[in-house]
Coordinates of all heavy atoms in Angstrom, one line a residue:
M1 N 29.9 86.6 -28.2 CA 29.6 86.0 -27.0 C 29.4 84.5 -27.3 O 28.7 84.2 -28.2 CB 28.4 86.7 -26.3 CG 28.2 86.2 -24.8 SD 26.8 87.1 -24.1 CE 27.1 88.7 -24.5
S2 N 30.1 83.6 -26.6 CA 29.9 82.2 -26.8 C 28.7 81.6 -26.1 O 28.2 82.3 -25.1 CB 31.2 81.4 -26.5 OG 31.5 81.7 -25.0
I3 N 28.4 80.4 -26.4 CA 27.2 79.7 -25.8 C 27.5 79.4 -24.5 O 28.5 78.7 -24.2 CB 26.7 78.5 -26.7 CG1 26.2 79.2 -28.1 CG2 25.5 77.8 -26.1 CD1 26.1 78.0 -29.0
P4 N 26.6 79.7 -23.4 CA 26.8 79.3 -22.0 C 26.6 77.8 -21.9 O 26.0 77.2 -22.5 CB 25.7 79.9 -21.2 CG 25.0 80.9 -22.2 CD 25.4 80.5 -23.6
T5 N 27.5 77.2 -20.9 CA 27.5 75.8 -20.6 C 27.6 75.7 -19.2 O 27.6 76.7 -18.5 CB 28.6 75.1 -21.3 OG1 30.0 75.5 -20.6 CG2 28.8 75.3 -22.7
T6 N 27.5 74.5 -18.7 CA 27.6 74.3 -17.2 C 29.0 74.6 -16.8 O 29.2 75.1 -15.7 CB 27.3 72.9 -16.8 OG1 27.7 71.9 -17.9 CG2 26.0 72.6 -16.4
E7 N 30.0 74.6 -17.6 CA 31.4 74.9 -17.4 C 31.5 76.5 -17.3 O 32.2 77.1 -16.6 CB 32.4 74.2 -18.4 CG 32.5 72.8 -18.2 CD 33.2 72.3 -16.9 OE1 34.0 72.9 -16.4 OE2 32.5 71.4 -16.3
R8 N 30.8 77.1 -18.2 CA 30.9 78.6 -18.4 C 29.5 79.1 -18.5 O 28.9 79.4 -19.4 CB 31.6 78.9 -19.7 CG 33.0 78.6 -19.7 CD 33.8 79.7 -18.9 NE 35.3 79.4 -19.0 CZ 36.1 80.3 -19.0 NH1 35.8 81.5 -18.7 NH2 37.4 80.0 -19.1
P9 N 28.7 79.1 -17.3 CA 27.3 79.6 -17.1 C 27.3 81.1 -17.6 O 28.3 81.9 -17.4 CB 26.9 79.3 -15.8 CG 28.1 79.3 -15.0 CD 29.1 78.7 -15.9
A10 N 26.2 81.6 -18.1 CA 26.1 83.0 -18.4 C 25.1 83.6 -17.3 O 24.3 83.0 -16.6 CB 25.2 83.1 -19.7
C11 N 25.4 85.0 -17.1 CA 24.6 85.7 -16.2 C 23.3 85.9 -16.7 O 23.1 86.4 -17.8 CB 25.4 87.1 -15.9 SG 24.4 88.2 -14.9
N12 N 22.2 85.7 -15.9 CA 20.9 85.8 -16.5 C 20.4 87.3 -16.3 O 19.4 87.6 -16.7 CB 19.9 84.9 -15.7 CG 19.7 85.2 -14.3 OD1 20.8 85.5 -13.6 ND2 18.6 85.1 -13.7
I13 N 21.3 88.1 -15.9 CA 21.0 89.6 -15.8 C 21.5 90.3 -17.1 O 20.8 91.0 -17.8 CB 21.4 90.4 -14.5 CG1 20.7 89.7 -13.3 CG2 21.2 91.8 -14.6 CD1 21.3 90.1 -12.0
C14 N 22.9 90.2 -17.5 CA 23.3 91.0 -18.5 C 23.8 90.0 -19.6 O 24.0 90.5 -20.8 CB 24.7 91.8 -17.9 SG 26.0 90.6 -17.5
G15 N 24.0 88.8 -19.4 CA 24.3 87.8 -20.5 C 25.7 87.4 -20.7 O 26.1 86.5 -21.4
F16 N 26.7 88.2 -20.0 CA 28.1 87.7 -20.0 C 28.3 86.4 -19.4 O 27.5 86.0 -18.5 CB 28.9 88.8 -19.1 CG 29.2 90.0 -19.8 CD1 28.3 90.9 -20.4 CD2 30.8 90.2 -20.1 CE1 28.7 92.0 -21.0 CE2 31.0 91.4 -20.8 CZ 30.1 92.2 -21.2
R17 N 29.3 85.7 -20.0 CA 29.6 84.4 -19.4 C 30.3 84.7 -18.1 O 31.2 85.5 -18.0 CB 30.5 83.7 -20.3 CG 29.7 82.9 -21.5 CD 30.6 81.9 -22.2 NE 31.9 82.6 -22.5 CZ 33.0 81.9 -22.7 NH1 33.1 80.5 -22.5 NH2 34.2 82.4 -22.9
L18 N 30.0 84.0 -17.1 CA 30.7 84.1 -15.8 C 32.1 83.4 -15.7 O 32.2 82.2 -16.1 CB 29.9 83.3 -14.6 CG 28.5 83.9 -14.6 CD1 27.7 83.1 -13.6 CD2 28.4 85.3 -14.2
R19 N 33.1 84.2 -15.6 CA 34.5 83.8 -15.7 C 35.1 83.6 -14.4 O 36.4 83.1 -14.4 CB 35.3 84.7 -16.5 CG 34.7 84.8 -18.0 CD 35.4 85.7 -18.8 NE 34.7 85.8 -20.1 CZ 35.2 86.1 -21.2 NH1 36.6 86.3 -21.4 NH2 34.6 86.0 -22.3
A20 N 34.4 83.7 -13.4 CA 35.1 83.5 -12.0 C 35.3 81.9 -11.8 O 34.6 81.2 -12.5 CB 34.3 84.1 -10.9
S21 N 36.0 81.6 -10.7 CA 36.0 80.3 -10.3 C 34.7 79.8 -9.9 O 33.8 80.5 -9.5 CB 37.0 80.1 -9.2 OG 36.5 80.7 -8.0
R22 N 34.5 78.4 -9.9 CA 33.2 77.8 -9.5 C 32.9 78.2 -7.9 O 31.8 78.5 -7.7 CB 33.3 76.3 -9.5 CG 33.2 75.8 -10.9 CD 33.2 74.2 -10.9 NE 33.2 73.8 -12.2 CZ 32.9 72.7 -12.7 NH1 32.3 71.7 -11.7 NH2 33.0 72.1 -13.8
E23 N 34.0 78.3 -7.2 CA 33.8 78.7 -5.8 C 33.3 80.0 -5.6 O 32.3 80.4 -5.0 CB 35.1 78.4 -5.1 CG 35.6 77.1 -4.8 CD 36.4 76.5 -6.2 OE1 36.6 77.4 -6.9 OE2 36.4 75.3 -6.3
A24 N 33.9 81.0 -6.4 CA 33.3 82.4 -6.4 C 32.0 82.4 -7.0 O 31.2 83.2 -6.4 CB 34.3 83.2 -7.3
I25 N 31.6 81.7 -8.1 CA 30.2 81.9 -8.6 C 29.2 81.3 -7.6 O 28.2 81.8 -7.5 CB 30.2 81.1 -9.9 CG1 31.0 81.8 -11.1 CG2 28.8 80.7 -10.5 CD1 31.3 81.0 -12.3
A26 N 29.5 80.2 -6.8 CA 28.7 79.6 -6.0 C 28.5 80.3 -4.7 O 27.6 80.1 -3.9 CB 29.1 78.2 -5.6
E27 N 29.5 81.3 -4.3 CA 29.5 82.1 -3.1 C 28.3 83.3 -3.4 O 28.4 84.0 -4.2 CB 30.8 82.9 -2.9 CG 30.8 83.8 -1.7 CD 30.4 83.0 -0.4 OE1 30.8 81.9 -0.1 OE2 29.6 83.6 0.4
R28 N 27.4 83.2 -2.4 CA 26.2 84.0 -2.5 C 26.5 85.5 -2.6 O 25.8 86.1 -3.4 CB 25.4 83.7 -1.2 CG 23.9 84.2 -1.3 CD 23.2 83.8 -0.1 NE 23.2 84.8 0.8 CZ 22.1 85.2 1.6 NH1 21.1 84.4 1.5 NH2 22.0 86.2 2.3
E29 N 27.4 86.0 -1.9 CA 27.6 87.5 -1.8 C 28.8 88.0 -2.7 O 29.1 89.2 -2.6 CB 27.7 88.0 -0.4 CG 26.4 87.7 0.5 CD 25.1 88.4 -0.2 OE1 25.2 89.3 -0.9 OE2 24.1 87.8 0.0
T30 N 29.5 87.1 -3.4 CA 30.6 87.4 -4.2 C 30.2 88.0 -5.5 O 29.4 87.1 -6.2 CB 31.7 86.2 -4.4 OG1 32.1 85.9 -3.0 CG2 32.9 86.7 -5.1
R31 N 30.7 89.2 -5.9 CA 30.5 89.6 -7.2 C 31.1 88.8 -8.4 O 32.2 89.0 -8.5 CB 30.7 91.1 -7.4 CG 29.8 92.0 -6.6 CD 30.1 93.4 -6.6 NE 29.3 94.1 -5.6 CZ 28.3 94.9 -6.0 NH1 27.9 94.9 -7.2 NH2 27.6 95.5 -5.0
S32 N 30.5 87.9 -9.0 CA 31.1 86.9 -9.8 C 30.8 87.2 -11.3 O 31.2 86.4 -12.2 CB 30.8 85.5 -9.5 OG 29.3 85.5 -9.3
C33 N 30.1 88.3 -11.8 CA 29.9 88.6 -13.1 C 30.7 89.9 -13.4 O 30.5 90.9 -12.9 CB 28.3 88.9 -13.5 SG 28.2 89.3 -15.2
I34 N 31.5 89.8 -14.4 CA 32.4 90.9 -14.9 C 31.5 91.9 -15.6 O 32.0 93.0 -15.8 CB 33.6 90.5 -15.5 CG1 33.4 89.7 -16.8 CG2 34.7 89.7 -14.6 CD1 34.7 89.5 -17.7
G35 N 30.4 91.4 -16.1 CA 29.7 92.3 -17.1 C 28.7 93.4 -16.3 O 28.8 94.5 -16.4
C36 N 28.1 92.9 -15.2 CA 27.2 93.7 -14.4 C 27.5 93.7 -12.9 O 27.0 94.6 -12.3 CB 25.8 93.3 -14.7 SG 25.3 91.7 -13.9
G37 N 28.5 93.0 -12.5 CA 28.8 92.9 -11.1 C 27.8 92.1 -10.2 O 27.8 92.2 -9.1
S38 N 27.1 91.3 -10.7 CA 26.0 90.6 -9.9 C 26.6 89.4 -9.2 O 27.6 88.9 -9.4 CB 24.9 90.1 -10.8 OG 25.4 89.1 -11.6
T39 N 25.9 89.2 -8.1 CA 26.3 88.0 -7.2 C 25.2 86.9 -7.4 O 24.2 87.0 -8.2 CB 26.1 88.5 -5.6 OG1 24.6 88.8 -5.6 CG2 26.9 89.6 -5.3
L40 N 25.6 85.7 -6.9 CA 24.6 84.6 -7.0 C 23.2 84.9 -6.4 O 22.2 84.6 -7.2 CB 25.2 83.4 -6.2 CG 24.3 82.2 -6.2 CD1 24.1 81.6 -7.6 CD2 24.9 81.0 -5.4
R41 N 23.2 85.7 -5.4 CA 21.9 86.0 -4.9 C 21.1 86.9 -5.8 O 19.9 86.7 -6.0 CB 22.1 86.8 -3.5 CG 20.7 87.1 -2.8 CD 21.0 87.7 -1.4 NE 21.9 88.8 -1.3 CZ 21.5 90.0 -1.3 NH1 20.2 90.3 -1.4 NH2 22.4 91.0 -1.0
F42 N 21.6 87.9 -6.4 CA 21.1 88.8 -7.3 C 20.6 88.0 -8.6 O 19.4 88.2 -9.0 CB 22.0 90.0 -7.8 CG 22.3 90.8 -6.8 CD1 23.6 91.7 -7.2 CD2 21.7 91.2 -5.7 CE1 23.9 92.6 -6.1 CE2 22.3 92.1 -4.8 CZ 23.3 92.7 -5.0
R43 N 21.3 87.1 -9.0 CA 20.9 86.4 -10.2 C 19.7 85.3 -9.8 O 18.8 85.1 -10.6 CB 22.1 85.5 -10.8 CG 23.1 86.6 -11.4 CD 24.2 85.7 -12.3 NE 25.0 84.8 -11.4 CZ 26.0 85.2 -10.7 NH1 26.5 86.5 -10.7 NH2 26.7 84.3 -10.1
A44 N 19.8 84.9 -8.6 CA 18.6 84.0 -8.1 C 17.4 84.7 -8.0 O 16.3 84.2 -8.4 CB 19.1 83.3 -6.8
L45 N 17.4 85.9 -7.5 CA 16.2 86.8 -7.4 C 15.7 87.1 -8.8 O 14.4 86.9 -8.9 CB 16.6 88.2 -6.7 CG 16.8 88.1 -5.3 CD1 17.3 89.4 -4.7 CD2 15.4 87.9 -4.6
M46 N 16.5 87.4 -9.7 CA 15.9 87.7 -11.0 C 15.5 86.4 -11.7 O 14.5 86.4 -12.5 CB 17.1 88.4 -11.9 CG 17.4 89.6 -11.4 SD 16.0 90.9 -11.4 CE 15.5 90.9 -9.6
A47 N 16.1 85.2 -11.5 CA 15.7 84.0 -11.9 C 14.3 83.5 -11.6 O 13.3 83.2 -12.2 CB 16.6 82.8 -11.7
A48 N 14.0 83.8 -10.1 CA 12.7 83.6 -9.6 C 11.7 84.5 -10.2 O 10.6 84.1 -10.6 CB 12.7 83.8 -8.1
L49 N 12.0 85.7 -10.4 CA 11.0 86.8 -11.0 C 10.8 86.3 -12.5 O 9.6 86.1 -13.0 CB 11.7 88.0 -11.0 CG 10.9 89.1 -11.8 CD1 9.6 89.4 -11.1 CD2 11.7 90.5 -11.9
Q50 N 11.8 85.9 -13.2 CA 11.6 85.5 -14.7 C 10.7 84.3 -14.7 O 9.9 84.2 -15.5 CB 13.0 85.3 -15.3 CG 13.8 86.7 -15.5 CD 15.2 86.4 -15.9 OE1 15.6 85.2 -16.0 NE2 15.9 87.5 -16.1
S51 N 11.0 83.2 -13.9 CA 10.3 82.1 -14.1 C 8.9 82.3 -13.7 O 7.9 81.5 -14.2 CB 10.9 81.0 -13.3 OG 10.7 81.2 -11.9
E52 N 8.6 83.1 -12.8 CA 7.1 83.4 -12.4 C 6.4 84.1 -13.5 O 5.1 84.0 -13.7 CB 7.0 84.2 -11.2 CG 7.3 83.4 -9.9 CD 6.3 82.4 -9.7 OE1 5.0 82.5 -9.9 OE2 6.7 81.1 -9.4
M53 N 7.1 84.9 -14.3 CA 6.4 85.8 -15.3 C 6.4 85.1 -16.7 O 5.4 85.4 -17.5 CB 7.2 87.0 -15.6 CG 7.1 88.0 -14.2 SD 7.9 89.5 -14.5 CE 8.9 89.5 -16.0
D54 N 7.2 84.0 -17.0 CA 7.3 83.3 -18.2 C 6.3 82.2 -18.2 O 6.4 81.3 -17.3 CB 8.7 82.8 -18.5 CG 8.8 82.4 -19.9 OD1 8.6 81.1 -20.0 OD2 9.2 83.2 -20.7
Q55 N 5.5 82.0 -19.1 CA 4.6 80.9 -19.2 C 5.1 79.5 -19.2 O 4.8 78.6 -18.6 CB 3.5 81.1 -20.3 CG 2.5 82.2 -20.2 CD 1.7 82.3 -21.5 OE1 2.1 81.9 -22.5 NE2 0.7 83.0 -21.2
A56 N 6.4 79.5 -20.0 CA 7.1 78.3 -20.1 C 8.1 78.1 -18.8 O 8.8 77.1 -18.9 CB 8.0 78.2 -21.4
R57 N 8.1 79.0 -17.9 CA 8.9 79.1 -16.7 C 10.4 79.0 -17.1 O 11.2 78.3 -16.4 CB 8.5 77.9 -15.9 CG 7.3 77.9 -15.2 CD 7.4 77.9 -13.8 NE 6.0 77.9 -13.1 CZ 5.6 78.9 -12.4 NH1 6.2 80.1 -12.4 NH2 4.4 78.9 -11.9
E58 N 10.8 79.6 -18.3 CA 12.1 79.7 -18.7 C 12.8 81.0 -18.1 O 12.1 82.0 -17.9 CB 12.2 79.7 -20.2 CG 11.7 78.5 -20.9 CD 12.0 78.6 -22.4 OE1 13.0 79.3 -22.9 OE2 11.3 77.9 -23.1
I59 N 14.1 80.7 -17.9 CA 14.9 81.8 -17.3 C 15.7 82.4 -18.6 O 16.6 81.6 -19.1 CB 15.8 81.4 -16.2 CG1 14.9 80.9 -15.1 CG2 16.7 82.5 -15.8 CD1 15.6 80.2 -14.0
R60 N 15.5 83.7 -18.9 CA 16.3 84.2 -20.0 C 17.2 85.3 -19.5 O 17.0 85.8 -18.3 CB 15.3 84.8 -21.1 CG 14.4 83.7 -21.5 CD 13.6 84.3 -22.7 NE 12.8 83.2 -23.4 CZ 11.5 83.0 -23.1 NH1 10.8 83.7 -22.3 NH2 10.9 82.0 -23.7
V61 N 18.1 85.9 -20.3 CA 18.8 86.9 -19.9 C 17.9 88.2 -19.8 O 17.2 88.5 -20.8 CB 19.9 87.3 -21.0 CG1 20.7 88.5 -20.7 CG2 20.9 86.1 -21.1
L62 N 17.9 88.8 -18.6 CA 17.1 89.9 -18.5 C 17.1 91.1 -19.5 O 16.1 91.5 -19.9 CB 17.3 90.5 -17.0 CG 16.3 91.6 -16.4 CD1 14.8 91.2 -16.5 CD2 16.7 92.1 -15.0
E63 N 18.4 91.3 -19.8 CA 18.5 92.4 -20.8 C 18.0 92.1 -22.2 O 17.9 92.9 -23.0 CB 20.1 92.8 -20.9 CG 20.6 93.5 -19.5 CD 20.0 94.9 -19.4 OE1 19.3 95.4 -20.2 OE2 20.5 95.5 -18.4
R64 N 17.8 90.9 -22.4 CA 17.3 90.5 -23.8 C 15.8 90.2 -23.9 O 15.3 89.9 -24.9 CB 18.0 89.2 -24.3 CG 19.5 89.6 -24.4 CD 20.2 88.4 -25.1 NE 21.6 88.5 -25.0 CZ 22.5 87.5 -24.8 NH1 22.1 86.3 -24.6 NH2 23.8 87.8 -24.6
I65 N 15.0 90.1 -22.9 CA 13.7 90.0 -22.8 C 12.9 91.2 -23.5 O 13.5 92.4 -23.3 CB 13.1 89.5 -21.5 CG1 13.1 90.6 -20.5 CG2 13.6 88.3 -21.1 CD1 12.4 90.4 -19.1
P66 N 11.9 91.1 -24.2 CA 11.1 92.3 -24.6 C 10.6 93.1 -23.5 O 10.3 92.6 -22.5 CB 9.9 91.7 -25.4 CG 10.0 90.3 -25.3 CD 11.1 89.8 -24.5
R67 N 10.6 94.4 -23.8 CA 9.9 95.5 -22.8 C 8.5 95.0 -22.6 O 7.7 94.8 -23.6 CB 10.1 96.8 -23.3 CG 9.4 97.7 -22.4 CD 10.0 99.1 -22.4 NE 9.3 100.2 -21.7 CZ 9.1 100.2 -20.5 NH1 9.8 99.3 -19.6 NH2 8.3 101.2 -19.8
R68 N 8.0 95.1 -21.3 CA 6.6 94.7 -21.0 C 6.3 95.9 -20.0 O 6.1 95.6 -18.8 CB 6.7 93.3 -20.3 CG 7.0 92.3 -21.4 CD 7.0 91.0 -20.7 NE 5.9 90.4 -20.2 CZ 5.6 89.3 -19.6 NH1 6.8 88.6 -19.4 NH2 4.5 88.9 -19.2
G69 N 6.0 97.1 -20.6 CA 5.6 98.1 -19.7 C 4.3 98.1 -19.0 O 4.1 98.9 -18.1
Q70 N 3.4 97.0 -19.4 CA 2.2 97.0 -18.6 C 2.4 96.2 -17.3 O 1.5 96.3 -16.5 CB 1.2 96.1 -19.5 CG 1.5 94.6 -19.7 CD 2.5 94.2 -20.6 OE1 3.3 95.1 -21.1 NE2 2.6 93.0 -21.0
I71 N 3.6 95.7 -17.0 CA 3.9 95.1 -15.7 C 4.5 96.2 -14.9 O 5.6 96.9 -15.2 CB 4.9 93.9 -15.9 CG1 4.2 92.8 -16.8 CG2 5.2 93.3 -14.6 CD1 5.1 91.6 -17.0
K72 N 3.8 96.4 -13.7 CA 4.3 97.4 -12.8 C 5.0 96.7 -11.7 O 4.6 95.7 -11.2 CB 3.1 98.2 -12.2 CG 2.5 99.1 -13.3 CD 1.4 99.9 -12.8 CE 0.6 100.6 -13.8 NZ 1.2 101.5 -14.7
G73 N 6.0 97.3 -11.0 CA 6.7 96.9 -9.9 C 7.3 98.0 -9.1 O 7.6 99.0 -9.6
I74 N 7.4 97.7 -7.8 CA 7.9 98.7 -6.8 C 9.0 98.0 -6.1 O 8.7 96.9 -5.5 CB 6.9 99.4 -6.0 CG1 5.8 100.1 -6.7 CG2 7.6 100.3 -4.8 CD1 4.8 100.6 -6.0
G75 N 10.2 98.4 -6.0 CA 11.2 97.8 -5.3 C 11.7 98.6 -4.0 O 11.5 99.8 -4.0
M76 N 12.1 98.0 -3.1 CA 12.5 98.6 -1.8 C 14.1 98.2 -1.6 O 14.4 97.1 -1.4 CB 11.7 98.0 -0.6 CG 10.3 98.2 -0.7 SD 9.8 99.8 -0.5 CE 10.1 100.0 1.2
T77 N 14.8 99.2 -1.6 CA 16.3 99.1 -1.4 C 17.0 98.0 -2.4 O 17.7 97.3 -1.9 CB 16.6 98.7 0.0 OG1 16.2 97.5 0.4 CG2 16.1 99.9 1.0
D78 N 16.5 98.0 -3.6 CA 17.1 97.1 -4.5 C 18.4 97.5 -5.1 O 18.7 98.7 -5.0 CB 16.1 96.9 -5.8 CG 14.8 96.3 -5.4 OD1 14.8 95.5 -4.5 OD2 13.9 96.7 -6.0
A79 N 19.2 96.5 -5.5 CA 20.6 96.8 -5.9 C 20.5 97.4 -7.3 O 19.7 97.0 -8.2 CB 21.3 95.4 -6.1
H80 N 21.4 98.4 -7.6 CA 21.4 99.1 -8.8 C 21.7 98.1 -10.0 O 21.3 98.2 -11.2 CB 22.2 100.1 -8.8 CG 23.9 99.7 -8.7 ND1 24.5 99.5 -10.0 CD2 24.6 99.5 -7.8 CE1 25.6 99.0 -9.7 NE2 25.7 99.0 -8.3
I81 N 22.3 97.0 -9.8 CA 22.7 96.0 -10.8 C 21.5 95.5 -11.5 O 21.4 95.4 -12.7 CB 23.5 94.8 -10.1 CG1 24.8 95.4 -9.8 CG2 23.6 93.7 -11.1 CD1 25.6 94.4 -8.8
Y82 N 20.4 95.2 -10.8 CA 19.2 94.8 -11.5 C 18.2 95.8 -11.6 O 17.3 95.7 -12.5 CB 18.6 93.4 -10.9 CG 18.3 93.4 -9.5 CD1 17.2 93.9 -9.0 CD2 19.2 92.8 -8.6 CE1 16.9 93.8 -7.6 CE2 19.0 92.8 -7.2 CZ 17.8 93.3 -6.8 OH 17.5 93.2 -5.4
T83 N 18.1 96.9 -10.8 CA 17.2 97.9 -10.8 C 17.2 98.7 -12.1 O 16.2 98.8 -12.7 CB 17.4 99.0 -9.8 OG1 17.4 98.4 -8.4 CG2 16.4 100.3 -9.6
N84 N 18.3 98.9 -12.7 CA 18.5 99.6 -13.9 C 17.8 98.7 -15.1 O 17.0 99.2 -15.9 CB 19.8 99.8 -14.3 CG 20.3 100.9 -13.4 OD1 19.6 101.7 -12.7 ND2 21.6 101.0 -13.2
A85 N 18.0 97.4 -15.0 CA 17.5 96.6 -16.1 C 16.0 96.4 -16.0 O 15.3 96.5 -16.8 CB 18.1 95.2 -15.9
L86 N 15.5 96.4 -14.6 CA 14.1 96.3 -14.5 C 13.4 97.5 -14.9 O 12.3 97.4 -15.3 CB 13.7 96.1 -12.9 CG 14.2 94.7 -12.4 CD1 14.0 94.6 -10.8 CD2 13.3 93.6 -13.0
R87 N 13.9 98.7 -14.8 CA 13.3 99.9 -15.2 C 13.3 99.9 -16.8 O 12.3 100.4 -17.3 CB 14.2 101.1 -14.8 CG 14.1 101.6 -13.4 CD 14.8 102.8 -13.1 NE 14.6 103.2 -11.7 CZ 15.6 103.6 -10.9 NH1 16.8 103.6 -11.2 NH2 15.3 103.8 -9.6
R88 N 14.3 99.4 -17.4 CA 14.4 99.4 -18.9 C 13.3 98.3 -19.4 O 12.6 98.5 -20.5 CB 15.6 98.9 -19.4 CG 16.6 100.0 -19.3 CD 18.0 99.7 -20.2 NE 18.7 98.6 -19.5 CZ 19.5 98.9 -18.5 NH1 19.9 100.1 -18.0 NH2 20.3 97.9 -18.0
K89 N 13.0 97.3 -18.7 CA 12.0 96.2 -19.1 C 10.4 96.4 -18.6 O 9.7 95.8 -19.3 CB 12.6 95.0 -18.7 CG 13.9 94.5 -19.2 CD 13.9 94.6 -20.8 CE 15.2 94.5 -21.4 NZ 15.2 94.5 -22.9
F90 N 10.3 96.9 -17.5 CA 8.9 97.1 -16.9 C 8.7 98.5 -16.5 O 9.6 99.3 -16.5 CB 8.9 96.2 -15.7 CG 9.3 94.7 -16.0 CD1 10.5 94.2 -15.6 CD2 8.6 93.9 -16.9 CE1 11.1 93.1 -15.9 CE2 9.1 92.5 -17.1 CZ 10.3 92.2 -16.7
D91 N 7.5 98.8 -16.1 CA 7.2 100.0 -15.3 C 7.5 99.9 -13.9 O 6.7 99.4 -13.1 CB 5.5 100.2 -15.5 CG 5.2 101.6 -14.9 OD1 6.1 102.3 -14.4 OD2 3.9 101.8 -14.8
Y92 N 8.8 100.1 -13.7 CA 9.3 99.7 -12.4 C 9.9 101.0 -11.6 O 10.6 101.9 -12.2 CB 10.5 98.8 -12.6 CG 11.4 98.4 -11.3 CD1 10.8 97.5 -10.5 CD2 12.5 99.0 -10.9 CE1 11.4 97.1 -9.3 CE2 13.1 98.7 -9.8 CZ 12.6 97.6 -9.0 OH 13.3 97.3 -7.9
T93 N 9.6 101.1 -10.4 CA 10.1 102.2 -9.5 C 10.9 101.6 -8.4 O 10.4 100.7 -7.7 CB 8.9 103.1 -9.0 OG1 8.1 103.5 -10.1 CG2 9.4 104.2 -8.3
A94 N 12.0 102.2 -8.0 CA 12.8 101.8 -6.9 C 12.5 102.8 -5.8 O 12.7 104.0 -6.1 CB 14.2 101.6 -7.2
R95 N 12.2 102.5 -4.6 CA 12.0 103.4 -3.5 C 13.0 103.1 -2.5 O 13.5 102.1 -2.2 CB 10.6 102.9 -2.7 CG 9.4 103.0 -3.7 CD 8.9 104.3 -3.7 NE 7.6 104.4 -4.4 CZ 7.3 105.3 -5.2 NH1 8.1 106.5 -5.3 NH2 6.3 105.3 -6.0
A96 N 13.6 104.3 -2.0 CA 14.7 104.3 -1.0 C 14.0 104.0 0.3 O 12.9 104.4 0.6 CB 15.4 105.6 -0.9
A97 N 14.7 103.2 1.1 CA 14.3 103.0 2.6 C 14.4 104.2 3.4 O 15.2 105.0 3.3 CB 15.0 101.8 3.1

């Protein structure tokens, strides 16, 4: 996997470089990551969560952060794209609506 750049940003959920056009990457509801199928909205939600939990406010690839089972979370109608990653990293439960 090559290093992400502004020309080829990486998905902060799975780490794959985003290969879609800039227009597709910038479109909120378009699935623009070929690795996990995330949209800009999903990546923004995970970026907000990550920056709140990180003391340095850094956004890292969710799949690469260490497991922190002491952090508990409950999701409501969350997308499976990030629900599975959150379950692996935290004490996380997704509730159906």
Side-chain angles (χ1 to χ4, degrees):
M1 192 178 311
S2 58
I3 297 171
T5 65
T6 30
E7 291 297 315
R8 294 280 185 151
C11 175
N12 64 318
I13 296 173
C14 72
F16 273 67
R17 282 190 314 148
L18 302 174
R19 296 180 185 211
S21 68
R22 285 184 189 203
E23 293 79 21
I25 291 171
E27 177 57 41
R28 193 176 102 141
E29 298 302 328
T30 299
R31 293 181 185 258
S32 49
C33 177
I34 61 170
C36 67
S38 66
T39 65
L40 175 63
R41 183 168 58 92
F42 294 159
R43 291 189 299 276
L45 285 168
M46 292 302 99
L49 174 68
Q50 292 167 356
S51 68
E52 283 299 314
M53 293 183 348
D54 189 272
Q55 289 179 341
R57 297 241 185 245
E58 290 186 30
I59 299 168
R60 299 185 174 103
V61 175
L62 184 59
E63 291 289 1
R64 295 186 192 145
I65 64 172
R67 175 149 172 75
R68 296 171 68 183
Q70 75 277 16
I71 296 176
K72 296 184 184 299
I74 299 173
M76 302 281 292
T77 65
D78 293 330
H80 70 88
I81 291 165
Y82 55 84
T83 297
N84 295 333
L86 292 173
R87 282 186 180 134
R88 286 189 291 274
K89 299 300 175 178
F90 309 106
D91 181 3
Y92 179 81
T93 304
R95 301 275 183 216

